[in-house]
Every structure is written in C-alpha cells, then in structure tokens.
Amino acid sequence: MNGMNENPLDLLPEALLAASAVIGLLLGAWLPRHRQWMTGALATAACTAGIAAAAVAAAGPDTTAFGESFSVDPVTGAGRIIILAGTLLVLALAVGPLHAHPRETEFYVLLQLAALGALMLAGAQDLLLLAAGYLLASVPAYTLAGFRKDAAGTEAALKYYVVGAALGVVMLGGITVLLAAGRATMYPILRAELPMASTALVTTGTIALVSGVLFKAGGVPAHFWVPDTVQGSTAPVAAFLTTVPKIGALVALYRLAAVPLADTAIPWPGLVAVLSAASMTLGNLAAFFQRDVKRLLAYSTISQVGYLLMPVAVVGATGLDQRALLFYLAAYTVTNIGAFAVVCALPDAHTIEDYRGLARERPVLIASLVVCLLGLVGTPPTAVFLGKLQVFSAAFDGGYAWLAVLAAVNTVASLFYYLRWIAPTVSPRTHRHAATGPRTAAGVACVTATASLALGVLADPVLEVLATPLMP
C-alpha cells in the first residue's frame, strides 16, 4: 500500500462518470428533444472509458486515494468494472423507451449519479465516505423509481424513499457509535482501535451500519421496499435497482468484514450467516406463487442476496471468499439484467400467462429468457452455476456447512417458480401475444444470455484474476 495519495487519476472512473453527468445535464438544457440521445451517448462513452480506466488501475499496484479514504485494489477494480458494465447494459435498455422523451437527459444523469454512488460504496475505506456513497446511490434512485409519474411509480418511489431514509438515519447513527468506539472513521485505524473498545458499543454500531448497507443490497431485514418498488418502476429502472446498487453494497460489506471488523469480538460470521439464510429462504418462499413477472424477479433478487452474503460470512476463514463474491456478482449482473431485458422487450407482458406460446413466435428471445432464468437457478454451464459452486465451497471451507446445505436446498426449491414462468412459453397460445418492445432490449437479452454462458465456460482465467488478495 502506498502512503498518502492525492492523485485525482486514482479516481478516474468515478471522475469520468461525474463529469459526464454534469456535462450531460448542461447539454440537455440546450439540446432539442429529438437530439437528447446525445446525453445517453455521452453516458455510454463515460462508462466505456471508465471500464478501461478501471482495468488499467486494477493491473497496477494497490494504493489508496485522498488520505486512505478510498481504496484502489483488486476488489475495487472488479467492483468498478461490474458496476459500469451493468450501467452500460441498463443504458442500452433505456434507449428505446426514452427516445425523444421530455426528460430523457434527466434519466441518463440520474442513472449515472446513482451508479457513481455505487462506485463510491465499492471503494470506500472510510465510514464518512461510505455514508456519502450511500446517499449518492439512494437519492437519484428514488427519483428513478418514480420517473413515470403515474400512480404505480409514485408508490414505488415513496416506499423506496421512506425505507431508505429511515435506514439511512439508522446507518448514520451506527457510524456515530463506531466513531465513538474507535475514535476514527478510517478503516485501518478502526481495525486497530475497535478490538479494544466496548463489545456492546461496537456491536450496536455495527448492526446499525449493516442495516443501511443491507437496504442498498435488498437483503433481509431491509428488503420490504424491493417487490413494490420493482413492480412500480419501469423495467430498465427495475433492472438497475436490483443490480447496480447491490454490487456496491455487497463489496462494501465485504470490505467492512475484511478490514475494520476483522479483529473485533462481535459474532460477525454468525450474524451474516443468519441474514444470508433468511434472505435466500424468505425470498424464495415469497416468489413461489407470484404471477407478475417483475414482482417474481424482485423476490428472486432478495434470494440472490442470500447466496451473495455467504462469502461475506466467511471472510478471513477461507481463501475462497473474495473470488467467490466477485465472480458471483459478475455472473448475477449479466444474468439478472438479461431477465429484465426480456421484460423490456415485451412491455405488455406483465404476468406469467402473458408469455404463453411465445417460444414459437419469439424463439431467440425466449431462449435468452430460459438461459437467464435457469442461470439464476444455477444450471450448468451458466456463470451463476460456477458462482454458486464458489460460494458453496467458500462456506464449507469456512466452517459453515449448514449454510451451504441450506443454500443448496433453496437452489433446488427456486427451480419451481422459474419453471412456472418458462412452462407457459412452450404451451399453445390462447390469446393475442404481447406487443413487441424495442429491438435494443431484445439485443441486450441475447448478449447477456450469451455472456452468461461464455463466463461459465471460460471462468478459470477470470477466477484467477479475482483471487488477488485484498490490501490490508
């Protein structure tokens, strides 16, 4: 690790996204409505350049930026690439529905700001920066949830905001308690100070802090906003909310476990294991009889948080935790966005029954849906299959065999509700099929389904890169 580093280039991916958002907002104020797509093109360029910058930084030595408050290491690098790639896919999903929309520029700007907040969460190594990232990832997302300004969108935004504001206050309270206990907010100092502080104080602060981070991840017990917000939002926004902020939040949880909380006496592994078990089980049980496809995917994403929390529970107890989390995040991102891309491509198909008979009329699109849904289950050779193998292995190796067994049972159980969606697509059509949406959405569905298969087949070099240890 280097010493104090004030080089702004260390935050180049974040700077590119912030600059694109500001410039895009200014451009949107002057461009005619039919040319506001240029702000979307600028956002696409910023995300692409950010991925390249993140890859270059990841190949260099580990360092920190701005007084060790932001870490530039393999975990941050992987998080940056996954977040920006997910944002790129969502931008592609939004092209058709937003073309010549009166607030097209505002959408692209809000999306970039929310993604920027997720990037800050992924690299934060200071509790104050973590809180700033939380707010930046949340406030634009509240607006995105209610972007349509209809009754469903308003309800979605309101529920999202109320839960987020409440848990945000709790999170700030937890940061205050940890500041009192550790007399600092930077992770390396907290790692040295918290073991000597009151265990009750540290436990209280940690639980409050984790509750806010879990809100961004959409995990139990901070999951109540997910189904209503996802159902009431537009499909591109739903794809974003269930993917990009989750990446930043889970990477933030991993870093909290690996650095400031690593040597404390609090029962961190047991706490996270219980949250993991509750998320995967409650998410699956609630998804069993859902008929609305967006609501089904909402509960599915809650269950996925349970699997993603497994490597967080065994941080430091095994050498498999880091690569398991990062690979699963990458696999989940392409697969989940792929499923939502199919929803975007069929805007009038709201329920499972609306997909009846579409396998014959839209074979490529439905094939993409099947790959993505079976991928979320963890069917070989998809990327999530290898991701689940990694997290199960990490749990076993870290001494949580019971959690791995429960996760395996939940995986088998989840097959039921995914097949409930797939089965009608091959059944005879009994009514007029749903209208066709933008071609870009269908293209994204095909690309993500292919990426899920490719990442599953070519996983070895990716896993090798992701195994680089986290900086202390």
Side-chain angles (χ1 to χ4, degrees):
M1 182 192 302
N2 294 340
M4 172 115 19
N5 187 352
E6 304 293 345
N7 185 3
L9 292 179
D10 290 332
L11 296 178
L12 184 57
E14 292 77 14
L16 287 170
L17 208 59
S20 174
V22 173
I23 295 172
L25 188 62
L26 295 174
L27 279 177
W30 298 98
L31 289 173
R33 182 181 300 182
H34 66 281
R35 290 188 178 177
Q36 292 202 6
W37 60 267
M38 295 173 66
T39 59
L42 180 63
T44 301
C47 289
T48 305
I51 291 173
V56 171
D62 295 348
T63 185
T64 56
F66 300 99
E68 298 189 351
S69 62
F70 190 90
S71 178
V72 183
D73 56 26
V75 174
T76 302
R80 282 169 161 176
I81 292 171
I82 299 170
I83 288 169
L84 291 171
T87 305
L88 262 179
L89 292 172
V90 175
L91 285 168
L93 292 179
V95 168
L98 282 176
H99 180 65
H101 190 282
R103 291 177 291 128
E104 184 175 2
T105 291
E106 286 89 334
F107 181 91
Y108 294 134
V109 170
L110 290 168
L111 196 72
Q112 290 176 92
L113 291 176
L116 178 60
L119 290 174
M120 300 310 295
L121 284 173
Q125 198 171 230
D126 187 289
L127 293 179
L128 296 181
L129 184 60
L130 183 70
Y134 174 92
L135 292 173
L136 185 55
S138 298
V139 176
Y142 301 150
T143 308
L144 286 172
F147 194 77
R148 287 189 305 195
K149 292 187 176 181
D150 57 3
T154 301
E155 181 181 359
L158 182 60
K159 290 183 177 180
Y160 193 21
Y161 167 73
V162 168
V163 177
L167 291 178
V169 172
V170 173
M171 178 182 175
L172 290 174
I175 290 174
T176 303
V177 173
L178 290 175
L179 172 60
R183 294 175 293 179
T185 57
M186 287 192 295
Y187 290 4
I189 299 177
L190 288 174
R191 183 172 188 171
E193 295 291 337
L194 290 182
M196 298 181 291
S198 165
T199 301
L201 201 62
V202 175
T203 303
T204 302
T206 300
I207 292 174
L209 174 63
V210 168
S211 66
V213 182
L214 277 177
F215 162 74
K216 297 310 302 174
V220 173
H223 67 290
F224 295 103
W225 62 272
V226 178
D228 292 326
T229 301
V230 169
Q231 184 180 21
S233 304
T234 61
V237 171
F240 181 84
L241 296 180
T242 57
T243 307
V244 174
K246 190 185 304 294
I247 301 164
L250 287 163
V251 172
L253 273 177
Y254 180 85
R255 197 180 299 279
L256 283 169
V259 185
L261 303 177
D263 301 322
T264 60
I266 63 174
W268 172 264
L271 171 65
V272 178
V274 169
L275 293 173
S276 170
S279 296
M280 68 177 74
T281 304
L282 292 179
N284 279 331
L285 290 176
F288 274 174
F289 301 105
Q290 298 297 325
R291 307 203 67 83
D292 184 282
V293 292
K294 286 201 291 185
R295 201 170 183 87
L296 185 151
L297 287 173
Y299 282 112
S300 166
T301 195
I302 295 172
S303 71
Q304 294 293 330
V305 176
Y307 306 121
L308 287 161
L309 285 173
M310 291 171 66
V312 179
V314 294
V315 171
T318 174
L320 304 175
D321 48 10
Q322 179 178 309
R323 72 177 188 179
L325 174 65
L326 296 176
F327 186 84
Y328 201 132
L329 282 173
Y332 168 77
T333 298
V334 296
T335 309
N336 186 65
I337 292 179
F340 273 103
V342 176
V343 176
C344 293
L346 298 168
D348 291 338
H350 302 295
T351 66
I352 291 173
E353 284 300 315
D354 293 333
Y355 284 76
R356 184 172 296 278
L358 287 182
R360 179 173 298 179
E361 299 175 7
R362 301 291 301 277
V364 176
L365 185 63
I366 297 304
S368 300
L369 176 66
V370 171
V371 169
C372 291
L373 292 183
L374 293 182
L376 289 172
V377 174
T379 307
T382 61
V384 174
F385 168 71
L386 284 179
K388 285 193 174 182
L389 283 183
Q390 292 295 317
V391 298
F392 291 176
S393 299
F396 269 112
D397 197 50
Y400 278 85
W402 68 267
L403 184 59
V405 171
L406 179 63
V409 172
N410 271 283
T411 295
V412 174
S414 68
L415 184 63
F416 169 74
Y417 60 84
Y418 290 121
L419 287 179
R420 284 184 66 244
W421 188 350
I422 295 173
T425 64
V426 297
S427 302
R429 181 164 60 97
T430 58
H431 54 81
R432 184 176 63 84
H433 68 81
T436 301
R439 292 183 179 180
T440 51
V444 170
C446 295
V447 168
T448 50
T450 304
S452 178
L453 293 172
L455 190 57
V457 173
L458 305 174
D460 287 344
V462 178
L463 288 170
E464 185 177 348
V465 171
L466 296 178
T468 306
L470 179 72
M471 61 193 296

